[in-house]
Amino acid sequence: MNLFNANARRCGAALVACTLAASGAHAETLVSMWVHAGPGPERDVYIASVRAFNEASPDIKIKLLTLPEGKYNDQVNAAALANKLPCILDFDGPNVYNYAWSKKIVPLDDLPVGKTAKAEMLPTLVRQGTYNGKLYSVGQYDSSLALWGNAKTLTAAGVRIPTGVDDAWTLAEFEDALKRLKAAGVAYPLDMKFNYGIGEWVSYGFSPLLQSFGGDLIDRKTYRSAKGVLNGPEAVKALTTLQSWVKQGYVNPATKNDGDFAQGKSAISWVGHWAYNDYRKALGDDLVLIPMPKFGARAVTGAGSWNFGISKSCETLPAASKVLEHLMSKAEILKVTAVNGAVPATRAAQAESPNYGPGGPLRLAIEQANKGVSRVRPETPAYPVISAAFVEAVNNIVGGGSVQKELDKAVRKIDQDIEDNNGYPVL
């Protein structure tokens, strides 16, 4: 058994982290790489991808470390402080701005992978990866937020099922659907994945509600303040609406079960692409994908996802670029999106995707993106603080707190952080 296979077997048994070391005594360049991936098919894809690269490359070998998502960001920050980051690491999309501002990662523009990515990667991913006019990250996949519905239950309750962005539900129609489902005996008509806990899901999943009403997490013209945007009348209306859904029993904020929708306790699930495989197994042909509603003037869906960058401490930039070129190839993009259900990062990969190609069951995500519904999270180094403040506010509001007071408090935290960092000037 070679070293790669031995390590792969050990990784299969590890639940916290696994290390995949490169094989081959004659390797000239070693590229260390971290990915967030606990036990499961996505990690298996990355292990196989590294194996394929290592077997095909005589001069470059990848040393892979896979880590569970829960504490991943903390481990990245700790490694950065200790100057022990790997050459290549992945990170959640909105963290790119803080990592770039604090010089944890380097621009990719002058590397082959950066030049190719700008030409081939989806516009939302190019935008997500860009800070101060430079590209700092590339991603194998984008994300999409929508509603999953149980067609059988919705039809029985007399609820119209939208088929595309142009006929999406209005706020009135959406709330009428919730009312009808509740009257029909559905325990909690809307599953909003509160079982995910208090973290980035809240910002990714619920800021589109805020934005559809006309609010936002920060003033995107200047990125200097959240005042009047996160705590203005539109934002207050959005979060008051969310609070009302909880009060009326449409949503269960205390759910601990990720299977409420699959088990019929809910008939609409507010979640992203990653739920597709499990939902399809549970509901079969009764599963239907529904566009995000137009709560205000326009519908909004989340965009952006985990992506790869190269750390400042990497001394083998050309080799790291070749590794990223491998990961960004059409074949590797299709492999990872086949198991995580995400939107392929390039048009070429989308065209060959069974899920997202023409007639595919997730094609609606492409329609939402093409019609300008997708919105990336705020492109500012202040984002970690913005997200944390918003998450805390939503948690307290869902628990019955004053909407205005909680949003005012969030604004103070965000604006104070921006002031403390002198507006996050380019360093």
Side-chain angles (χ1 to χ4, degrees):
M1 178 185 297
N2 63 31
L3 178 61
F4 184 96
N5 288 333
N7 276 327
R9 290 196 175 187
R10 284 195 292 272
C11 285
L15 294 180
V16 178
C18 71
T19 302
L20 187 59
S23 61
H26 303 292
E28 293 182 357
T29 305
L30 186 67
V31 177
S32 56
M33 183 171 80
W34 288 6
V35 297
H36 82 288
E42 190 168 313
R43 185 182 68 172
D44 294 342
V45 167
Y46 284 122
I47 290 174
S49 180
V50 167
R51 177 171 57 197
F53 182 91
N54 284 347
E55 290 177 349
S57 172
D59 302 322
I60 302 171
K61 303 298 177 184
I62 305 170
K63 182 180 179 182
L64 176 69
L65 179 68
T66 67
L67 299 162
E69 181 176 345
K71 297 294 183 180
Y72 182 82
N73 291 334
D74 293 338
Q75 290 172 300
V76 168
N77 290 328
L81 288 173
N83 199 30
K84 292 183 178 180
L85 282 173
C87 259
I88 296 173
L89 66 157
D90 78 340
F91 39 84
D92 201 1
N95 288 335
V96 66
Y97 318 116
N98 192 277
Y99 288 178
W101 176 77
S102 59
K103 299 190 183 301
K104 291 183 176 69
I105 54 177
V106 300
L108 307 178
D109 305 76
D110 294 332
L111 296 173
V113 67
K115 296 175 182 178
T116 302
K118 282 185 174 180
E120 299 182 359
M121 205 161 58
L122 300 178
T124 47
L125 294 179
V126 173
R127 181 166 182 175
Q128 172 187 256
T130 301
Y131 174 68
N132 193 33
K134 296 180 180 179
L135 184 71
Y136 282 87
S137 70
V138 296
Q140 292 178 301
Y141 49 85
D142 203 346
S143 66
S144 179
L145 180 70
L147 303 177
W148 294 99
N150 184 323
K152 183 178 180 180
T153 304
L154 291 170
T155 301
V159 176
R160 179 182 72 85
I161 302 176
T163 58
V165 173
D166 294 336
D167 72 334
W169 284 324
T170 62
L171 173 62
E173 287 180 298
F174 182 68
E175 293 192 324
D176 180 66
L178 299 181
K179 182 178 180 180
R180 287 173 178 269
L181 291 165
K182 189 74 173 181
V186 179
Y188 293 99
L190 179 61
D191 169 28
M192 298 190 78
K193 294 299 178 188
F194 280 103
N195 58 288
Y196 285 175
I198 304 303
E200 185 57 25
W201 161 246
V202 174
S203 293
Y204 173 82
F206 302 157
S207 59
L209 171 69
L210 184 78
Q211 293 154 350
S212 183
F213 271 93
D216 208 338
L217 296 170
I218 191 170
D219 179 355
R220 297 201 190 210
K221 294 180 181 179
T222 65
Y223 288 103
R224 298 300 295 265
S225 176
K227 188 175 182 180
V229 180
L230 180 54
N231 62 347
E234 296 86 359
V236 171
K237 184 177 180 181
L239 274 299
T240 300
T241 299
L242 173 60
Q243 188 180 66
S244 75
W245 296 343
V246 174
K247 289 180 177 179
Q248 294 177 79
Y250 297 152
V251 179
N252 179 11
T255 182
K256 303 297 182 183
N257 190 344
D258 195 37
D260 282 0
F261 176 73
Q263 296 167 9
K265 297 177 183 178
S266 299
I268 302 172
S269 185
W270 181 302
V271 71
H273 59 266
W274 54 88
Y276 172 67
N277 289 331
D278 289 340
Y279 282 179
R280 177 68 180 176
K281 290 177 183 177
L283 272 69
D285 292 340
D286 285 330
L287 180 65
V288 60
L289 185 56
I290 301 171
M292 288 300 289
K294 297 176 184 176
F295 296 112
R298 61 188 292 262
V300 179
T301 180
S305 193
W306 287 76
N307 46 186
F308 290 101
I310 299 178
S311 72
K312 182 182 178 181
S313 59
C314 184
E315 298 178 352
T316 56
L317 291 181
S321 179
K322 288 185 178 181
V323 172
L324 289 183
E325 288 179 72
H326 167 70
L327 294 173
M328 290 299 295
S329 68
K330 181 170 65 176
E332 294 303 319
I333 288 173
L334 287 172
K335 287 174 185 176
V336 72
T337 55
V339 299
N340 67 12
V343 181
T346 63
R347 301 293 183 196
Q350 282 182 9
E352 295 187 19
S353 168
N355 287 337
Y356 292 94
L362 305 182
R363 186 68 181 178
L364 175 64
I366 308 302
E367 181 191 354
Q368 289 190 144
N370 289 342
K371 293 194 174 183
V373 176
S374 301
R375 185 175 297 189
V376 298
R377 282 157 282 181
E379 301 145 84
T380 168
Y383 183 77
V385 172
I386 293 171
S387 180
F390 181 67
V391 168
E392 181 181 354
V394 171
N395 185 45
N396 292 338
I397 288 168
V398 167
S402 165
V403 175
Q404 186 71 66
K405 288 181 179 179
E406 292 298 332
L407 293 180
D408 287 344
K409 183 167 66 174
V411 166
R412 288 195 295 271
K413 289 181 178 180
I414 293 167
D415 285 8
Q416 186 63 57
D417 174 74
I418 294 172
E419 181 180 336
D420 290 346
N421 286 280
N422 298 314
Y424 285 97
V426 176
L427 301 178

